[in-house]
Coordinates of all heavy atoms in Angstrom, one line a residue:
M290 N 0.8 -1.2 0.0 CA 0.0 0.0 0.0 C 0.9 1.3 0.0 O 0.3 2.3 -0.1 CB -0.9 0.0 1.2 CG -2.0 -1.0 1.2 SD -3.1 -0.8 -0.2 CE -4.2 0.3 0.4
M291 N 2.1 1.1 0.1 CA 3.0 2.2 0.1 C 3.0 3.1 -1.2 O 3.1 4.3 -1.2 CB 4.4 1.7 0.4 CG 5.4 2.8 0.5 SD 7.0 2.0 0.6 CE 7.9 3.1 1.7
F292 N 2.7 2.4 -2.3 CA 2.7 3.1 -3.6 C 1.5 4.1 -3.7 O 1.5 5.0 -4.5 CB 2.7 2.1 -4.7 CG 4.0 1.3 -4.8 CD1 4.0 0.0 -4.5 CD2 5.2 1.9 -5.1 CE1 5.1 -0.8 -4.6 CE2 6.4 1.2 -5.1 CZ 6.3 -0.1 -4.9
W293 N 0.5 3.8 -3.0 CA -0.7 4.7 -3.1 C -0.4 6.1 -2.5 O -1.0 7.0 -2.9 CB -1.9 4.1 -2.4 CG -2.4 2.9 -3.1 CD1 -2.1 1.6 -2.9 CD2 -3.3 2.9 -4.2 NE1 -2.8 0.8 -3.7 CE2 -3.6 1.6 -4.6 CE3 -4.0 3.9 -4.9 CZ2 -4.4 1.2 -5.6 CZ3 -4.9 3.5 -5.9 CH2 -5.1 2.2 -6.2
Y294 N 0.4 6.1 -1.6 CA 0.6 7.4 -0.9 C 2.0 8.1 -1.2 O 2.1 9.3 -1.1 CB 0.6 7.2 0.6 CG -0.7 6.6 1.1 CD1 -0.9 5.3 1.5 CD2 -1.8 7.5 1.1 CE1 -2.1 4.8 1.9 CE2 -3.1 7.0 1.5 CZ -3.2 5.7 1.9 OH -4.4 5.2 2.2
D295 N 2.9 7.4 -1.7 CA 4.2 7.9 -2.0 C 4.7 7.6 -3.4 O 5.5 6.6 -3.6 CB 5.2 7.4 -0.9 CG 6.6 8.2 -1.0 OD1 6.6 9.3 -1.6 OD2 7.6 7.6 -0.6
H296 N 4.2 8.2 -4.4 CA 4.6 7.9 -5.8 C 5.6 8.9 -6.3 O 6.1 8.8 -7.4 CB 3.4 7.9 -6.7 CG 2.4 9.0 -6.5 ND1 2.7 10.3 -7.0 CD2 1.2 9.0 -5.9 CE1 1.7 11.1 -6.7 NE2 0.8 10.3 -6.1
G297 N 6.0 9.9 -5.6 CA 7.1 10.8 -5.9 C 6.9 11.8 -7.0 O 7.9 12.2 -7.6
V298 N 5.7 12.1 -7.3 CA 5.4 13.1 -8.3 C 5.3 14.5 -7.7 O 4.5 14.7 -6.8 CB 4.1 12.8 -9.1 CG1 3.8 13.9 -10.1 CG2 4.2 11.5 -9.8
S299 N 6.2 15.4 -8.0 CA 6.2 16.7 -7.4 C 5.3 17.7 -8.2 O 4.6 17.2 -9.2 CB 7.7 17.2 -7.4 OG 8.1 17.4 -8.7
G300 N 5.4 18.9 -7.9 CA 4.6 19.9 -8.6 C 5.0 20.0 -10.1 O 4.1 20.2 -11.0
W301 N 6.3 19.9 -10.4 CA 6.7 19.9 -11.8 C 6.2 18.6 -12.6 O 5.9 18.7 -13.7 CB 8.2 20.0 -11.9 CG 8.7 21.4 -11.6 CD1 9.4 21.7 -10.5 CD2 8.5 22.5 -12.4 NE1 9.6 23.0 -10.5 CE2 9.1 23.6 -11.7 CE3 7.9 22.8 -13.6 CZ2 9.1 24.9 -12.1 CZ3 7.9 24.1 -14.0 CH2 8.5 25.1 -13.3
G302 N 6.1 17.5 -11.9 CA 5.6 16.3 -12.5 C 4.1 16.5 -12.9 O 3.7 16.1 -13.9
W303 N 3.3 17.1 -12.0 CA 1.9 17.3 -12.3 C 1.8 18.3 -13.4 O 0.9 18.2 -14.3 CB 1.2 17.9 -11.0 CG 0.9 16.8 -10.0 CD1 1.5 16.6 -8.8 CD2 -0.1 15.8 -10.2 NE1 1.0 15.6 -8.2 CE2 0.0 15.0 -9.0 CE3 -1.0 15.4 -11.1 CZ2 -0.8 13.9 -8.8 CZ3 -1.8 14.3 -10.9 CH2 -1.7 13.6 -9.7
F304 N 2.6 19.3 -13.4 CA 2.6 20.3 -14.5 C 2.9 19.6 -15.9 O 2.3 19.8 -16.9 CB 3.6 21.4 -14.3 CG 3.7 22.4 -15.5 CD1 2.7 23.3 -15.7 CD2 4.8 22.3 -16.3 CE1 2.8 24.2 -16.8 CE2 4.9 23.2 -17.4 CZ 3.9 24.1 -17.6
A305 N 4.0 18.8 -15.9 CA 4.4 18.1 -17.1 C 3.3 17.1 -17.6 O 3.0 17.0 -18.8 CB 5.7 17.3 -16.9
M306 N 2.6 16.4 -16.6 CA 1.5 15.5 -17.0 C 0.3 16.3 -17.6 O -0.3 15.9 -18.6 CB 1.0 14.7 -15.8 CG 2.0 13.6 -15.5 SD 1.3 12.4 -14.4 CE 0.9 13.4 -13.0
S307 N 0.0 17.4 -17.0 CA -1.1 18.3 -17.5 C -0.8 18.9 -18.8 O -1.6 18.8 -19.7 CB -1.4 19.4 -16.5 OG -1.7 18.9 -15.2
A308 N 0.4 19.4 -19.0 CA 0.8 19.9 -20.3 C 0.9 18.9 -21.4 O 0.4 19.1 -22.5 CB 2.2 20.6 -20.2
G309 N 1.3 17.7 -21.0 CA 1.4 16.6 -22.0 C 0.0 16.1 -22.4 O -0.2 15.8 -23.6
M310 N -1.0 16.1 -21.5 CA -2.3 15.8 -21.8 C -3.0 16.8 -22.7 O -3.7 16.5 -23.7 CB -3.2 15.6 -20.5 CG -4.6 15.1 -20.8 SD -4.6 13.5 -21.6 CE -4.0 12.4 -20.4
V311 N -2.7 18.1 -22.4 CA -3.3 19.2 -23.3 C -2.7 19.1 -24.7 O -3.4 19.2 -25.7 CB -3.0 20.6 -22.7 CG1 -3.3 21.7 -23.7 CG2 -3.8 20.7 -21.4
L312 N -1.4 18.8 -24.8 CA -0.7 18.7 -26.1 C -1.2 17.5 -26.8 O -1.4 17.5 -28.0 CB 0.8 18.6 -25.9 CG 1.5 19.9 -25.5 CD1 3.0 19.7 -25.3 CD2 1.3 21.0 -26.6
F313 N -1.4 16.4 -26.1 CA -2.0 15.2 -26.7 C -3.3 15.4 -27.3 O -3.6 15.0 -28.5 CB -2.0 14.0 -25.7 CG -2.8 12.8 -26.1 CD1 -2.1 11.9 -27.0 CD2 -4.1 12.5 -25.7 CE1 -2.8 10.8 -27.4 CE2 -4.7 11.4 -26.2 CZ -4.1 10.5 -27.0
W314 N -4.2 16.0 -26.6 CA -5.6 16.3 -27.1 C -5.6 17.3 -28.2 O -6.4 17.2 -29.2 CB -6.5 16.6 -26.0 CG -7.0 15.4 -25.2 CD1 -6.6 15.1 -24.0 CD2 -7.7 14.3 -25.7 NE1 -7.1 13.9 -23.6 CE2 -7.8 13.4 -24.7 CE3 -8.4 14.0 -26.9 CZ2 -8.5 12.2 -24.8 CZ3 -9.1 12.9 -27.0 CH2 -9.1 11.9 -26.0
A315 N -4.7 18.3 -28.1 CA -4.6 19.3 -29.2 C -4.1 18.6 -30.5 O -4.6 18.9 -31.6 CB -3.6 20.4 -28.8
L316 N -3.2 17.6 -30.4 CA -2.7 16.9 -31.6 C -3.8 16.0 -32.1 O -4.0 16.0 -33.4 CB -1.5 16.0 -31.2 CG -1.0 15.1 -32.3 CD1 -0.3 15.9 -33.3 CD2 0.0 14.1 -31.7
I317 N -4.6 15.3 -31.3 CA -5.7 14.5 -31.8 C -6.7 15.4 -32.5 O -7.2 15.0 -33.6 CB -6.3 13.7 -30.6 CG1 -5.3 12.7 -30.0 CG2 -7.6 13.0 -31.0 CD1 -4.9 11.6 -31.0
I318 N -7.1 16.5 -31.9 CA -8.1 17.4 -32.5 C -7.6 17.9 -33.8 O -8.3 18.0 -34.8 CB -8.5 18.5 -31.5 CG1 -9.3 17.8 -30.4 CG2 -9.4 19.5 -32.2 CD1 -9.6 18.8 -29.2
T319 N -6.3 18.3 -33.9 CA -5.8 18.9 -35.1 C -5.8 17.8 -36.2 O -6.1 18.1 -37.4 CB -4.3 19.4 -34.9 OG1 -4.3 20.4 -33.8 CG2 -3.7 20.0 -36.1
V320 N -5.4 16.6 -35.9 CA -5.4 15.6 -36.9 C -6.8 15.3 -37.4 O -7.1 15.1 -38.6 CB -4.7 14.3 -36.4 CG1 -5.0 13.1 -37.3 CG2 -3.2 14.5 -36.2
A321 N -7.8 15.3 -36.5 CA -9.2 15.1 -36.9 C -9.7 16.2 -37.8 O -10.4 15.9 -38.8 CB -10.0 14.9 -35.6
V322 N -9.4 17.4 -37.5 CA -9.8 18.5 -38.3 C -9.2 18.5 -39.7 O -9.9 18.7 -40.7 CB -9.5 19.9 -37.6 CG1 -9.7 21.1 -38.5 CG2 -10.4 20.1 -36.4
L323 N -7.9 18.2 -39.7 CA -7.2 18.2 -41.0 C -7.7 17.0 -41.9 O -7.9 17.1 -43.1 CB -5.7 18.0 -40.8 CG -5.0 19.3 -40.3 CD1 -3.5 19.0 -40.0 CD2 -5.2 20.5 -41.2
L324 N -8.0 15.9 -41.3 CA -8.6 14.7 -42.0 C -10.0 15.0 -42.5 O -10.3 14.7 -43.6 CB -8.6 13.5 -41.1 CG -9.0 12.2 -41.7 CD1 -8.1 11.8 -42.8 CD2 -9.1 11.1 -40.6
F325 N -10.8 15.7 -41.7 CA -12.1 16.1 -42.1 C -12.1 17.0 -43.3 O -12.8 16.9 -44.2 CB -12.8 16.7 -40.9 CG -14.2 17.2 -41.2 CD1 -15.3 16.3 -41.3 CD2 -14.5 18.5 -41.4 CE1 -16.6 16.7 -41.6 CE2 -15.8 18.9 -41.7 CZ -16.8 18.0 -41.8
R326 N -11.2 18.0 -43.2 CA -11.0 19.0 -44.3 C -10.5 18.3 -45.6 O -11.0 18.6 -46.7 CB -10.1 20.1 -44.0 CG -10.6 21.1 -43.0 CD -9.7 22.2 -42.8 NE -10.2 23.2 -41.9 CZ -9.5 24.3 -41.5 NH1 -8.3 24.5 -42.0 NH2 -10.0 25.1 -40.7
A327 N -9.6 17.3 -45.5 CA -9.1 16.6 -46.7 C -10.2 15.8 -47.3 O -10.2 15.7 -48.5 CB -7.9 15.8 -46.3
V328 N -11.0 15.2 -46.5 CA -12.0 14.3 -47.1 C -13.1 15.1 -47.7 O -13.7 14.7 -48.8 CB -12.6 13.4 -46.0 CG1 -13.8 12.6 -46.4 CG2 -11.6 12.4 -45.5
N329 N -13.5 16.2 -47.2 CA -14.6 17.0 -47.7 C -14.2 18.1 -48.7 O -15.0 18.9 -49.1 CB -15.3 17.7 -46.5 CG -16.1 16.7 -45.7 OD1 -16.5 15.7 -46.2 ND2 -16.3 16.9 -44.5
R330 N -13.0 18.1 -49.1 CA -12.5 19.1 -50.1 C -13.0 18.7 -51.5 O -12.9 17.6 -51.9 CB -11.0 19.1 -50.1 CG -10.5 20.2 -51.0 CD -9.0 20.3 -51.0 NE -8.3 19.5 -50.1 CZ -7.1 19.1 -50.2 NH1 -6.4 19.5 -51.2 NH2 -6.5 18.4 -49.3
P331 N -13.6 19.7 -52.2 CA -14.0 19.4 -53.6 C -12.8 19.1 -54.5 O -11.7 19.6 -54.3 CB -14.8 20.7 -54.0 CG -14.2 21.7 -53.2 CD -13.8 21.1 -51.8
Q332 N -13.1 18.2 -55.4 CA -12.0 17.9 -56.3 C -11.6 19.1 -57.2 O -12.5 19.7 -57.8 CB -12.4 16.7 -57.2 CG -12.7 15.4 -56.4 CD -11.5 14.9 -55.8 OE1 -10.4 15.0 -56.3 NE2 -11.7 14.3 -54.6
E333 N -10.4 19.4 -57.3 CA -9.9 20.5 -58.1 C -9.3 19.9 -59.4 O -8.4 19.0 -59.3 CB -8.9 21.3 -57.3 CG -9.4 21.9 -56.0 CD -8.3 22.6 -55.2 OE1 -7.2 22.7 -55.7 OE2 -8.7 23.1 -54.1
H334 N -9.7 20.5 -60.5 CA -9.1 20.1 -61.7 C -8.0 21.1 -62.1 O -8.3 22.2 -62.5 CB -10.1 20.1 -62.8 CG -11.2 19.1 -62.6 ND1 -11.0 17.7 -62.7 CD2 -12.5 19.2 -62.1 CE1 -12.1 17.1 -62.4 NE2 -13.1 18.0 -62.0
T335 N -6.7 20.7 -61.9 CA -5.6 21.6 -62.1 C -5.1 21.4 -63.5 O -4.2 22.2 -63.9 CB -4.5 21.3 -61.1 OG1 -4.1 20.0 -61.2 CG2 -5.0 21.6 -59.7
H336 N -5.5 20.4 -64.3 CA -5.0 20.2 -65.6 C -5.7 21.1 -66.6 O -7.0 21.2 -66.6 CB -5.2 18.7 -66.0 CG -4.6 17.8 -65.1 ND1 -3.2 17.6 -65.0 CD2 -5.1 16.9 -64.2 CE1 -2.9 16.7 -64.1 NE2 -4.0 16.2 -63.6
P337 N -5.0 21.8 -67.4 CA -5.6 22.7 -68.4 C -6.3 21.8 -69.5 O -5.9 20.6 -69.7 CB -4.5 23.5 -69.0 CG -3.3 22.7 -68.7 CD -3.5 21.9 -67.5
P338 N -7.3 22.3 -70.1 CA -7.9 21.4 -71.2 C -6.9 21.2 -72.3 O -6.1 22.0 -72.6 CB -9.1 22.3 -71.7 CG -8.8 23.6 -71.2 CD -8.0 23.5 -70.0
A339 N -7.0 20.0 -72.8 CA -6.0 19.5 -73.8 C -6.3 20.3 -75.1 O -7.5 20.4 -75.5 CB -6.1 18.0 -74.1
T340 N -5.3 20.8 -75.8 CA -5.4 21.4 -77.0 C -5.5 20.3 -78.1 O -4.9 19.3 -78.1 CB -4.2 22.3 -77.3 OG1 -3.0 21.6 -77.3 CG2 -4.2 23.5 -76.3
P341 N -6.4 20.6 -79.1 CA -6.6 19.5 -80.1 C -5.3 19.4 -81.0 O -4.6 20.4 -81.2 CB -7.8 20.0 -80.9 CG -7.9 21.5 -80.7 CD -7.3 21.7 -79.3
S342 N -5.0 18.2 -81.4 CA -3.9 18.0 -82.3 C -4.2 18.5 -83.7 O -5.4 18.8 -84.0 CB -3.5 16.6 -82.3 OG -4.5 15.8 -82.9
A343 N -3.2 18.5 -84.5 CA -3.4 19.0 -85.9 C -4.3 18.0 -86.6 O -5.1 18.4 -87.5 CB -2.0 19.1 -86.6
E344 N -4.2 16.7 -86.3 CA -5.1 15.7 -87.0 C -6.5 15.9 -86.5 O -7.4 15.8 -87.3 CB -4.6 14.3 -86.6 CG -3.2 13.9 -87.3 CD -2.8 12.5 -86.9 OE1 -3.6 11.7 -86.5 OE2 -1.6 12.2 -87.1
D345 N -6.7 16.2 -85.3 CA -8.1 16.5 -84.8 C -8.7 17.7 -85.5 O -9.9 17.7 -85.9 CB -8.1 16.7 -83.3 CG -7.7 15.5 -82.5 OD1 -7.9 14.4 -83.0 OD2 -7.2 15.7 -81.3
I346 N -7.9 18.7 -85.7 CA -8.4 19.9 -86.4 C -8.7 19.6 -87.8 O -9.8 20.0 -88.4 CB -7.3 21.1 -86.3 CG1 -7.2 21.5 -84.9 CG2 -7.7 22.2 -87.2 CD1 -6.0 22.5 -84.7
L347 N -7.9 18.8 -88.5 CA -8.2 18.4 -89.9 C -9.5 17.6 -89.9 O -10.3 17.8 -90.8 CB -7.1 17.5 -90.4 CG -5.9 18.3 -91.1 CD1 -4.8 17.3 -91.5 CD2 -6.4 19.1 -92.2
R348 N -9.7 16.6 -89.0 CA -10.9 15.8 -88.9 C -12.1 16.7 -88.8 O -13.2 16.5 -89.4 CB -10.8 14.8 -87.8 CG -10.1 13.5 -88.2 CD -10.3 12.5 -87.1 NE -9.0 11.9 -86.9 CZ -8.2 12.1 -85.9 NH1 -8.6 12.8 -84.9 NH2 -7.0 11.5 -85.8
E349 N -12.0 17.7 -87.9 CA -13.1 18.6 -87.6 C -13.5 19.4 -88.9 O -14.6 19.6 -89.2 CB -12.8 19.5 -86.5 CG -12.8 18.9 -85.1 CD -12.4 19.8 -84.0 OE1 -12.2 21.0 -84.3 OE2 -12.2 19.3 -82.9
R350 N -12.4 19.9 -89.6 CA -12.6 20.7 -90.8 C -13.3 19.8 -91.9 O -14.1 20.3 -92.6 CB -11.3 21.3 -91.3 CG -10.8 22.4 -90.4 CD -9.6 23.0 -90.9 NE -9.9 23.7 -92.1 CZ -9.0 24.2 -93.0 NH1 -7.7 24.0 -92.7 NH2 -9.4 24.9 -94.0
L351 N -12.9 18.6 -92.0 CA -13.5 17.6 -92.9 C -14.9 17.4 -92.6 O -15.8 17.4 -93.4 CB -12.7 16.3 -93.0 CG -13.3 15.2 -93.9 CD1 -13.2 15.7 -95.4 CD2 -12.6 13.9 -93.7
A352 N -15.2 17.2 -91.3 CA -16.6 17.0 -90.8 C -17.5 18.2 -91.1 O -18.7 18.0 -91.4 CB -16.6 16.6 -89.4
R353 N -16.9 19.4 -90.9 CA -17.7 20.6 -91.2 C -17.9 20.9 -92.7 O -18.7 21.8 -93.0 CB -17.1 21.8 -90.5 CG -17.3 21.8 -89.0 CD -16.9 23.1 -88.4 NE -15.5 23.3 -88.6 CZ -14.5 23.4 -87.6 NH1 -14.9 23.2 -86.4 NH2 -13.3 23.6 -87.9
G354 N -17.1 20.2 -93.5 CA -17.2 20.5 -94.9 C -16.3 21.6 -95.4 O -16.5 22.1 -96.5
E355 N -15.4 22.1 -94.6 CA -14.5 23.1 -95.0 C -13.5 22.7 -96.0 O -13.0 23.5 -96.9 CB -13.8 23.7 -93.8 CG -14.7 24.4 -92.8 CD -14.0 24.9 -91.6 OE1 -12.7 24.8 -91.5 OE2 -14.7 25.4 -90.6
I356 N -13.1 21.4 -95.9 CA -12.2 20.8 -96.9 C -12.8 19.5 -97.4 O -13.6 18.9 -96.8 CB -10.8 20.6 -96.3 CG1 -10.9 19.7 -95.1 CG2 -10.1 21.9 -95.9 CD1 -9.5 19.3 -94.5
D357 N -12.4 19.1 -98.6 CA -12.9 17.9 -99.2 C -11.9 16.8 -98.8 O -10.9 17.0 -98.2 CB -13.0 18.0 -100.7 CG -11.7 18.3 -101.4 OD1 -10.7 18.5 -100.8 OD2 -11.8 18.2 -102.7
E358 N -12.3 15.5 -99.2 CA -11.5 14.4 -98.7 C -10.1 14.3 -99.3 O -9.2 13.9 -98.6 CB -12.3 13.1 -99.1 CG -11.7 11.9 -98.4 CD -12.6 10.6 -98.6 OE1 -13.8 10.8 -98.9 OE2 -12.0 9.5 -98.4
D359 N -10.0 14.7 -100.6 CA -8.7 14.8 -101.2 C -7.7 15.7 -100.5 O -6.6 15.4 -100.2 CB -8.8 15.1 -102.7 CG -9.5 14.1 -103.5 OD1 -9.4 12.9 -103.1 OD2 -10.1 14.4 -104.5
D360 N -8.3 16.9 -100.2 CA -7.5 17.9 -99.5 C -7.1 17.4 -98.1 O -6.0 17.6 -97.6 CB -8.3 19.2 -99.4 CG -7.4 20.4 -99.0 OD1 -6.2 20.3 -99.2 OD2 -7.9 21.4 -98.5
Y361 N -8.1 16.7 -97.4 CA -7.8 16.1 -96.1 C -6.7 15.1 -96.2 O -5.7 15.2 -95.4 CB -9.1 15.5 -95.6 CG -8.9 14.6 -94.3 CD1 -8.7 15.2 -93.1 CD2 -8.8 13.2 -94.4 CE1 -8.5 14.4 -92.0 CE2 -8.6 12.4 -93.3 CZ -8.5 13.0 -92.1 OH -8.3 12.3 -91.0
R362 N -6.7 14.2 -97.1 CA -5.7 13.2 -97.2 C -4.3 13.8 -97.6 O -3.3 13.4 -97.0 CB -6.0 12.2 -98.3 CG -7.2 11.3 -97.9 CD -7.4 10.1 -98.8 NE -8.6 9.4 -98.5 CZ -8.8 8.6 -97.4 NH1 -7.9 8.4 -96.6 NH2 -10.0 8.0 -97.2
R363 N -4.3 14.8 -98.4 CA -3.0 15.5 -98.8 C -2.4 16.2 -97.6 O -1.2 16.0 -97.3 CB -3.3 16.5 -99.9 CG -2.1 17.2 -100.4 CD -2.4 18.2 -101.5 NE -3.4 19.1 -101.2 CZ -3.3 20.2 -100.5 NH1 -2.1 20.6 -100.1 NH2 -4.3 21.0 -100.3
R364 N -3.2 16.9 -96.8 CA -2.7 17.6 -95.6 C -2.3 16.6 -94.5 O -1.4 16.8 -93.8 CB -3.8 18.5 -95.1 CG -4.0 19.7 -96.0 CD -5.1 20.6 -95.5 NE -5.5 21.6 -96.4 CZ -5.6 22.9 -96.2 NH1 -5.3 23.3 -94.9 NH2 -5.9 23.7 -97.1
L365 N -3.1 15.5 -94.4 CA -2.7 14.4 -93.4 C -1.4 13.8 -93.8 O -0.5 13.6 -92.9 CB -3.8 13.4 -93.3 CG -3.7 12.4 -92.2 CD1 -3.8 13.1 -90.8 CD2 -4.8 11.4 -92.3
N366 N -1.2 13.5 -95.0 CA 0.1 12.9 -95.5 C 1.3 13.9 -95.2 O 2.4 13.5 -94.8 CB 0.1 12.5 -97.0 CG -0.8 11.3 -97.2 OD1 -0.9 10.5 -96.3 ND2 -1.3 11.2 -98.4
A367 N 1.0 15.2 -95.4 CA 2.0 16.2 -95.2 C 2.3 16.3 -93.7 O 3.5 16.5 -93.3 CB 1.5 17.6 -95.7
L368 N 1.3 16.1 -92.8 CA 1.6 16.1 -91.4 C 2.4 14.9 -91.0 O 3.4 15.0 -90.2 CB 0.3 16.0 -90.6 CG -0.5 17.3 -90.4 CD1 -1.8 17.1 -89.7 CD2 0.4 18.3 -89.6
H369 N 2.1 13.8 -91.5 CA 2.9 12.5 -91.2 C 4.3 12.5 -91.8 O 5.2 11.9 -91.2 CB 2.1 11.3 -91.6 CG 0.9 11.0 -90.8 ND1 1.0 10.5 -89.6 CD2 -0.4 11.3 -91.0 CE1 -0.3 10.4 -89.1 NE2 -1.1 10.8 -89.9
A370 N 4.5 13.2 -92.9 CA 5.8 13.3 -93.5 C 6.8 14.1 -92.7 O 8.0 13.9 -92.8 CB 5.7 13.8 -94.9
G371 N 6.3 15.0 -91.9 CA 7.2 15.9 -91.2 C 7.4 17.2 -91.9 O 6.9 17.5 -92.9
P372 N 8.3 18.1 -91.2 CA 8.5 19.4 -91.8 C 9.3 19.2 -93.1 O 10.2 18.4 -93.3 CB 9.3 20.1 -90.8 CG 9.9 19.0 -89.9 CD 9.0 17.9 -90.0
A373 N 9.0 20.1 -94.1 CA 9.7 20.1 -95.4 C 11.0 20.7 -95.2 O 11.1 21.8 -94.5 CB 8.8 20.8 -96.4
T374 N 12.0 20.2 -95.8 CA 13.4 20.8 -95.7 C 13.6 21.7 -96.9 O 13.2 21.5 -98.0 CB 14.4 19.7 -95.8 OG1 14.3 18.9 -96.9 CG2 14.3 18.8 -94.6
K375 N 14.1 22.9 -96.6 CA 14.4 23.9 -97.6 C 15.8 23.6 -98.2 O 16.7 23.3 -97.5 CB 14.3 25.3 -97.0 CG 12.9 25.6 -96.6 CD 12.9 27.1 -96.1 CE 11.5 27.4 -95.7 NZ 11.4 28.8 -95.2
P376 N 15.9 23.7 -99.5 CA 17.2 23.5 -100.2 C 18.2 24.6 -99.9 O 18.0 25.7 -99.6 CB 16.9 23.3 -101.7 CG 15.5 23.9 -101.9 CD 14.9 23.9 -100.5

């Protein structure tokens, strides 16, 4: 029964235990709030919209009737051939 009455905790020990308990609960509450905010955050789209490729633009122009099929094939072949070299 000696341990019930003489455990050797002084005033600084009580202060350290109290401060530790306050810090512990502050940490638990902070983690809970951050987790709650992370879960309820709306999804952000940071990617800019993709620009259409040259082939996509050609397909759209063909579909709108701005160019005919022969012109489409000629321009598509020119795209696949790469840049023309100047002499």
Side-chain angles (χ1 to χ4, degrees):
M290 292 297 276
M291 182 186 213
F292 295 112
W293 288 96
Y294 298 107
D295 188 22
H296 45 74
V298 177
S299 65
W301 287 108
W303 284 106
F304 174 75
M306 283 192 302
S307 299
M310 186 58 69
V311 169
L312 289 174
F313 171 76
W314 283 109
L316 177 69
I317 295 296
I318 291 169
T319 302
V320 167
V322 167
L323 291 176
L324 184 64
F325 179 76
R326 284 184 181 179
V328 168
N329 288 333
R330 184 177 355 157
Q332 297 295 329
E333 299 175 4
H334 298 287
T335 57
H336 302 292
T340 57
S342 67
E344 291 181 18
D345 293 335
I346 294 172
L347 274 177
R348 274 190 227 108
E349 289 175 8
R350 290 184 67 192
L351 178 66
R353 285 191 296 247
E355 294 176 8
I356 57 176
D357 61 352
E358 191 172 342
D359 293 331
D360 196 22
Y361 169 78
R362 292 192 189 282
R363 184 177 50 81
R364 291 176 189 230
L365 189 61
N366 288 335
L368 278 176
H369 288 283
T374 57
K375 294 184 179 180

